[in-house]
Structures are given as structure tokens and as C-alpha cells.
Amino acid sequence: MSSGALAALIHRIAVIEAAVGDRFPLFADPAGGWTTTRRGSWTGGFWAGLLWLRAAVTGGGRDLEAARSWSRRLLPRAGDDTDTRAMTFWYGAGTGHRWTGDPGAAEVAMSGARALAASALPGSGMIPAGTAFGGDPRRIAIDAFAAVVALLDDAGMPQAAAAHARGVAATLVGADATISAGPGPVWARGQAWGLLGFAVAADRLGGEFATVAARVADRWLALAGTGVPPAMFGLPESPVDTSAAVIAAAGLWTLGDTAAAQRIVDRVVTDHLDADGTLTGGCYDLAGGVACAHELIWGTYFLAALLAVSQARVPAAGW
């Protein structure tokens, strides 16, 4: 995997910093204009995570201080009633501790893990979607699955992580290993989140989850191969979603299929990464018509993390 691509992405982080000021980046349009949020929405952890990644690759100094500062800004999010707290605190702090050993990052991650664990449903132990984004607060969503497992496990709560993973397997995985993420066509990023989540569960929690992880991986490869998938499988007019591709690649890498993961990343880099480090071809919300040909902060995070892991620039996977 290209070292030049990683260098371009590291440079891109500084460009994004200058563009967004004190706000969290969410996505950028093809002209480079960023949509930002004050508190980070569900993606704030990916921005802080990119800063931790840069600090790990460059050796710290001013980059480390920037990562610490943005990570501390996530602390109030522990009170948000949403499973996406797992994304906020795992990618925004847990990975920082993994990559740099920073004790402050560990403290931030632990605050999120405790709050997340306290939201588990009685009886099943599953982490519900919560009230922050509307809908049924008890429903189980796929998006934060990998982050729930990683955050709880790193916080010394593997039994809580396993309870959630068992529930996801029982409620969201179809007979053909398609991830159920709502009615209609198969949502590529939902399938990718499921692949990553079960890969992380199999890696961290043992063989109990290996079979379902392998099935979901096979289903991904049957649907998308090692290319960049459409945002919705089965819709001829669907744009591609590079963020789904790199999330799936992280899952395949975790399961040991590094050859397939590398082919996906190579395709993304060749076809969708500009020389300045801009990752194009991301689709946030096709049904809502939101950011359907954009640079997505989580896509940039996963691509940068994959490149850094494959080149041994960081000591452990950040997903």
C-alpha cells in the first residue's frame, strides 16, 4: 500500500484543520467546502482519531497536543443517549491511547465506556440506539457495532462487549449473512459496518464469533468483490461509496484476508484519492440526497488507518 498515499492523507489533515477552525468536520463537497458541527455529531471521534493517527506517525510534539485538545472536547458527549458514543470515544480517544500510550486519551475513552455500558438493555445486555437521533430508542443499529466491542473490551468489560455482539448476530444477520439495516436494497455501508464489527468481535472475544464473521465477509465479497461498491446494492443508479469500501477492508484485514483488503485499498487509492489527499466518492445518505459524492471524514479516517497499519507506522489496528 502506497507510502505516498499516506503522506498525502497526513498532509490533508492540516488542510482540514485550517478549513474548519474550532468546529468538527463532517463532509466536504467536491469544491472543498466543509460542512461542520459544533459538538461533533456522530463523527467527531473520527476527526480526533485522525489527529491521533497523525501524532503517532509524526512522533507527537505539536501534533500530539492537537490530538489531546480535540479528544478532551469529546468528554461532554458521554452524556448523549446514543450508541454512537462508542464511535466518539473509541475512535476519538481509545485509538489514541493504543497508538501513543497517552494516559489522557485512556481517561477520555474510559468515561465513554462507562456511560455506554450503563445504557445496556436489561436482560439482553445489548446497547440500544438511544434517543439522540429519533426513532425507537431500543432498536439495535449496526453502525457503531465495532466501536462498541472495541471500547468496552479495552475498558475491561469483555462480557458486556460479547453480550452486545451476540445480540447483533441474533437480530441483524440474515440467513444469507446480509446485514439488516432497514427495508429496501442492501445498504453497502451497513454491510461493511457489520463485517468490521464481527471481525473485531472474533479478534477480541474469541472463536464464538469467527463463523458469523467469515459468513459476513464472504457475503461482502460476493456483493462487492474487491472493488468500490455502490452505496446501495441492487440500485443501478446508485453512486459509489468509498467509505463503505475502506470500512470493509478494515474488517477483512482483521480477519487475516490482507490480500483482499489491500486490493480494495489499492482500488480506492488509484481511482478516488486525489494527489492532495482528498478522498472522493463518499456517499453519506443516498435516500436523503445528502453528501452523495463527497469527502467523508470517516472514510478518510479508515483509509489513513489502513495505510498506517499496513506500513507498520502505528503499533496496532485502530478499528
Side-chain angles (χ1 to χ4, degrees), residues 6 20 27 44 56 74 77 93 98 139 150 164 175 188 227 234 252 297 311:
L6 179 59
V20 302
F27 53 77
L74 300 174
R77 304 296 307 281
R98 267 198 150 199
R139 73 182 177 88
H164 182 69
L252 292 167
I297 199 65
Q311 296 168 28

Side-chain angles (χ1 to χ4, degrees), residues 291-305:
C292 293
H294 287 56
E295 178 181 8
L296 309 176
I297 199 65
W298 61 95
T300 299
Y301 172 86
F302 277 104
L303 179 58

Side-chain angles (χ1 to χ4, degrees), residues 145 149 162 165-166 169 173 177 194-219 251-252 254-256:
F145 177 26
V149 171
R166 290 187 195 107
V173 182
L195 168 52
L196 178 61
F198 284 113
V200 170
D203 180 58
R204 285 173 169 265
L205 305 174
E208 175 183 354
F209 301 103
T211 299
V212 65
R215 291 178 57 233
V216 174
D218 287 345
R219 181 61 174 154
L252 292 167
T254 304
L255 290 173

Side-chain angles (χ1 to χ4, degrees), residues 97-126:
H97 181 249
R98 267 198 150 199
W99 287 333
T100 70
D102 186 80
E107 292 173 8
V108 173
M110 183 59 75
S111 71
R114 292 194 187 102
L116 188 73
S119 72
L121 295 173
S124 71
M126 298 176 70

Side-chain angles (χ1 to χ4, degrees), residues 12-13 15-20 23-37 42-43 47 50 240-243 272 274 276-285 289-301:
R12 181 67 180 161
I13 294 170
V15 174
I16 297 171
E17 272 184 304
V20 302
R23 293 174 64 86
F24 288 87
L26 181 57
F27 53 77
D29 61 37
W34 279 94
T35 293
T36 62
T37 64
W42 63 273
T43 64
W47 174 234
L50 274 168
V240 298
D241 183 10
T242 50
S243 76
H272 298 281
D274 291 349
D276 66 357
T278 302
L279 177 60
T280 63
C283 184
Y284 181 8
D285 179 4
V290 178
C292 293
H294 287 56
E295 178 181 8
L296 309 176
I297 199 65
W298 61 95
T300 299
Y301 172 86

Side-chain angles (χ1 to χ4, degrees), residues 33-88:
W34 279 94
T35 293
T36 62
T37 64
R38 179 178 61 84
R39 298 179 70 242
S41 186
W42 63 273
T43 64
F46 295 109
W47 174 234
L50 274 168
L51 297 170
W52 283 116
L53 177 65
R54 180 179 65 178
V57 170
T58 64
R62 188 175 300 173
D63 291 342
L64 184 59
E65 286 306 314
R68 286 171 173 159
S69 176
W70 281 93
S71 190
R72 286 193 296 268
R73 286 184 57 185
L74 300 174
L75 277 167
R77 304 296 307 281
D80 294 355
D81 183 20
T82 168
D83 62 338
T84 62
R85 278 180 293 194
M87 291 171 152
T88 297

